[in-house]
Amino acid sequence: MSEPSLTSSASFQALETHAIEAEDWQMGSLFAADPQRFERMSLEAAGLFLDYSKNRVDGRTLELLVGLARERGVEQRRDAMFAGEKINNTENRAVLHTALRAPRDAKLVVDGQDVIADVHAVLDRIKAFTNAVRGGEWLGHTGKPITDVVNIGIGGSDLGPKMACLALRPFAHPRLAMHFVSNVDGHDIDAALEKLAPETTLFIVASKTFTTAETMMNAQTARRWFVERAPESALPRHFVAVSTNTEAVKAFGIDPANMFPFWDWVGGRYSVWSAIGLPVALCVGFGYFSDFLAGAHAMDEHFRSAPLEENMPVLLGLIGFWNRQFLGCPSVTIAPYHQDLARFPAYLQQLEMESNGKRVTRDGEPVDTPTCPAIWGEPGTNGQHAYFQMLHQGTDVTPIDFIAALSPSHELHHHHTALLANCFAQSEAFMKGKTPDEVRRDLQGLPLAEIERLVPHKTFPGNRPSNTILMEYLNPASLGALIALYEHKTFVQGVLWGVNSFDQWGVELGKVLAKKIEAELAGEPQPALHDSSTNGLIARARAAI
Ligand code: F6P
């Protein structure tokens, strides 16, 4: 039997009525009416602080949203996920990234398998390997320590490790330079290899399936580059794999003794906690990698046990749902006011959009509301000088998540004061805006006609929603908690929309068509079976190649 649709639920209908009343709300008036609004609409968990008071919601909105979460079964589905039930129903898989960061003494048996024991057995291997490479005991084939690590992977096998290595830059090993190659575009691997010496380079071929076309092509190119410059017998010291597919790893020529496994119940975009995090453990060391896992686990414990009304991922998910559904916001901007989080928006693009960019429910019925908004962003203050104009005065309302650390990991304190001032000023400006009368006051002294000509241009509508997430420092534990916060937010929204957040069939069609066109570009007779545009593009490329 199909689950009831979202719009047929009593709580959704109550929210629809409430949204009509809320249409004209001004956040400024909501703040004026409730001096306790900030205290009421902020909370701390797992070392993170969330201020969600600058949203167009009141106590009743939150009550109704929490009611919707209950009616849609967020608590039951959350518990089913943590328990290892096969909630990924189109692939018939459990979803257990939370088990990857559970402590050694946790208990979880799924299909007769002790999941926690398996996880910690691999973590022990990661510890031994990363200690050996970092400590200079794992040597290249000429007896020199490794200086460069190249992770070859794409999607979840790239975005998480790349984002985390950058975010944890102050914790990085001084001898190890981390490189990431993902794109099938040869310019990517070409640029990486150009700087490297084979005798001191370690390649990690990271692919859950070990069939992904881009990764396999890049791995073959790296292998060829290596054996042209070093004896083939040296490969085992320079190539390791991270995968769930032992057979394919063997077929590629990597010794399974140098393969770090994970499991089908780890989704690609949820895999940075698994052996896919090997570059992170190499970069910052196993001790900090453990702190990273512990930070995520602390957020898991909060998500699992806090009442929905005081549950950070639940509130973040519900507010995002409100903005998408009732304010009609087509996208969300992630604004990390921390340069080391530069890749965090890109990471969230896969996490949220590959998870919830769906148009049918778990039962295959069309969804009856909009689902995942587009996610995008750049670090502040750079974004301010690029697209914040549109956020302030454009025709779409785009909610913003501001993310900042209260203390920097450098000594340039005046920079940090300026950074935080900008972060807080932006959220204030988005909320308050600027009225025509305020503009007129600013322009006093100019001729009246000139003032009136400028007023519409210099007026800000304000009333634009944002969240602010603060941490003391950006460190392994707070980064772990931050990622887990967004993972669970994504989960909550998926449950509200009734979609399966853990499959990604939408990436298949393009892959299949690319294979066919690749053969045609490589010289196979071109059957004119494509549309005229695709035929024309292929013909132009064939003429040029
Ligand atoms: O793009 C689809 C996808 O399957 C992602 O979900 C995944 O993270 C990525 O490709 C890489 O997959 P793999 O780790 O199997 O190479």
Side-chain angles (χ1 to χ4, degrees):
M1 206 181 73
S2 292
E3 286 171 42
S5 73
L6 172 57
T7 55
S8 68
S9 71
S11 335
F12 184 89
Q13 288 168 6
L15 273 162
E16 271 185 315
T17 312
H18 176 75
I20 296 169
E21 291 163 26
E23 227 160 54
D24 298 326
W25 283 356
Q26 290 295 317
M27 270 189 261
S29 316
L30 296 174
F31 272 96
D34 179 5
Q36 298 301 307
R37 186 174 168 89
F38 172 72
E39 283 72 23
R40 253 192 263 287
M41 295 192 185
S42 59
L43 79 161
E44 268 186 273
L48 301 183
F49 175 82
L50 168 68
D51 169 18
Y52 58 96
S53 61
K54 290 192 185 95
N55 280 284
R56 283 196 233 163
V57 296
D58 72 354
R60 176 76 183 138
T61 322
L62 293 169
E63 211 176 283
L64 290 170
L65 286 167
V66 167
L68 179 71
R70 292 223 158 82
E71 193 176 343
R72 297 294 285 169
V74 165
E75 287 148 308
Q76 291 83 346
R77 291 210 175 264
R78 172 196 63 193
D79 295 346
M81 173 173 73
F82 276 91
E85 284 180 34
K86 296 202 163 91
I87 61 167
N88 175 354
N89 67 332
T90 59
E91 295 178 307
N92 198 28
R93 288 177 182 166
V95 173
L96 276 174
H97 45 281
T98 52
L100 298 167
R101 54 235 190 179
R104 204 179 280 273
D105 59 0
K107 299 266 167 293
L108 185 63
V109 176
V110 175
D111 292 339
Q113 195 62 28
D114 184 341
V115 167
I116 304 294
D118 289 351
V119 164
H120 281 270
V122 176
L123 284 174
D124 289 342
R125 285 191 51 210
I126 292 176
K127 180 178 180 179
F129 177 71
T130 55
N131 282 348
V133 174
R134 290 167 57 86
E137 291 121 45
W138 179 288
L139 300 172
H141 72 103
T142 58
K144 293 188 181 160
I146 298 298
T147 57
D148 293 87
V149 177
V150 184
N151 188 77
I152 299 178
I154 197 165
S157 301
D158 166 71
L159 290 162
K162 187 171 174 177
M163 176 274 287
C165 287
L166 176 60
L168 300 179
R169 187 183 52 84
F171 302 84
H173 193 291
R175 193 190 67 240
L176 291 179
M178 309 302 298
H179 310 267
F180 292 86
V181 170
S182 54
N183 201 333
V184 77
D185 180 350
H187 295 105
D188 197 8
I189 191 156
D190 192 46
L193 294 178
E194 163 181 290
K195 301 185 271 263
L196 299 174
E199 55 175 349
T200 52
T201 299
L202 176 73
F203 291 95
I204 302 172
V205 185
S207 173
K208 178 176 171 181
T209 54
F210 230 74
T211 57
T212 304
E214 292 91 333
T215 302
M216 292 302 107
M217 189 174 276
N218 279 323
Q220 291 293 358
T221 300
R223 191 183 195 283
R224 244 190 338 272
W225 174 87
F226 185 83
V227 298
E228 279 163 11
R229 292 162 178 79
E232 194 162 351
S233 60
L235 273 169
R237 303 217 60 76
H238 293 271
F239 277 78
V240 300
V242 178
S243 188
T244 60
N245 187 347
T246 315
E247 288 316 308
V249 169
K250 269 200 250 172
F252 180 83
I254 294 180
D255 184 349
N258 293 335
M259 165 180 160
F260 297 85
F262 61 114
W263 305 272
D264 72 353
W265 40 260
V266 182
R269 53 197 174 273
Y270 299 87
S271 64
V272 67
W273 324 100
S274 72
I276 289 290
L278 190 66
V280 186
L282 278 166
C283 179
V284 302
F286 190 78
Y288 285 133
F289 187 66
S290 302
D291 291 351
F292 175 62
L293 300 183
H297 178 67
M299 185 55 78
D300 293 342
E301 291 296 281
H302 165 76
F303 179 50
R304 216 174 168 169
S305 59
L308 300 189
E309 293 78 358
E310 294 155 31
N311 195 308
M312 196 181 280
V314 171
L315 290 166
L316 202 57
L318 288 174
I319 286 176
F321 172 81
W322 167 262
N323 289 340
R324 176 74 174 122
Q325 180 64 40
F326 297 108
L327 267 55
C329 303
S331 78
V332 171
T333 299
I334 307 297
Y337 275 65
H338 200 306
Q339 191 61 31
D340 292 342
L341 284 174
R343 295 290 301 166
F344 193 59
Y347 176 80
L348 291 188
Q349 284 180 331
Q350 186 196 20
L351 175 62
E352 298 205 24
M353 292 159 79
E354 201 172 70
S355 295
N356 288 337
K358 309 283 165 68
R359 50 181 281 286
V360 295
T361 65
R362 280 184 295 269
D363 301 318
E365 299 295 327
V367 293
D368 51 358
T369 63
T371 60
C372 192
I375 307 289
W376 55 284
E378 282 288 322
T381 58
N382 294 358
Q384 289 175 207
H385 297 274
Y387 49 78
F388 270 43
Q389 164 62 41
M390 185 200 90
L391 302 182
H392 281 292
Q393 291 186 312
T395 48
D396 279 327
V397 172
T398 307
I400 302 161
D401 283 359
F402 292 97
I403 304 170
L406 293 174
S407 305
S409 55
H410 55 68
E411 300 289 313
L412 307 167
H413 291 286
H414 58 297
H415 279 260
H416 203 65
T417 308
L419 178 78
L420 289 183
N422 272 279
C423 177
F424 302 159
Q426 287 296 332
S427 78
E428 186 180 30
F430 281 117
M431 192 266 280
K432 281 177 67 177
K434 194 166 188 180
T435 64
D437 281 344
E438 286 170 325
V439 177
R440 284 188 188 100
R441 266 199 302 279
D442 278 0
L443 295 179
Q444 260 173 19
L446 290 182
L448 207 56
E450 183 63 359
I451 292 177
E452 289 311 315
R453 190 177 73 79
L454 290 174
V455 162
H457 299 281
K458 291 184 164 246
T459 298
F460 289 62
N463 212 22
R464 302 203 163 194
S466 68
N467 296 305
T468 301
I469 298 168
L470 300 177
M471 60 197 84
E472 184 56 46
Y473 289 96
L474 178 61
N475 61 24
S478 60
L479 179 67
L482 182 69
I483 302 171
L485 168 64
Y486 277 93
E487 283 180 351
H488 296 320
K489 170 215 162 174
T490 302
F491 174 83
V492 168
Q493 294 191 334
V495 174
L496 297 177
W497 287 317
V499 301
N500 177 3
S501 300
F502 301 103
D503 61 12
Q504 57 284 319
W505 300 108
V507 297
E508 292 305 316
L509 178 61
K511 284 190 200 172
V512 174
L513 294 181
K515 275 259 154 292
K516 195 168 151 44
I517 295 179
E518 197 177 324
E520 290 166 7
L521 290 178
E524 237 180 44
Q526 185 193 348
L529 287 179
H530 304 278
D531 56 275
S532 64
S533 159
T534 312
N535 282 336
L537 295 170
I538 293 171
R540 284 186 81 87
R542 274 166 66 111
I545 288 171

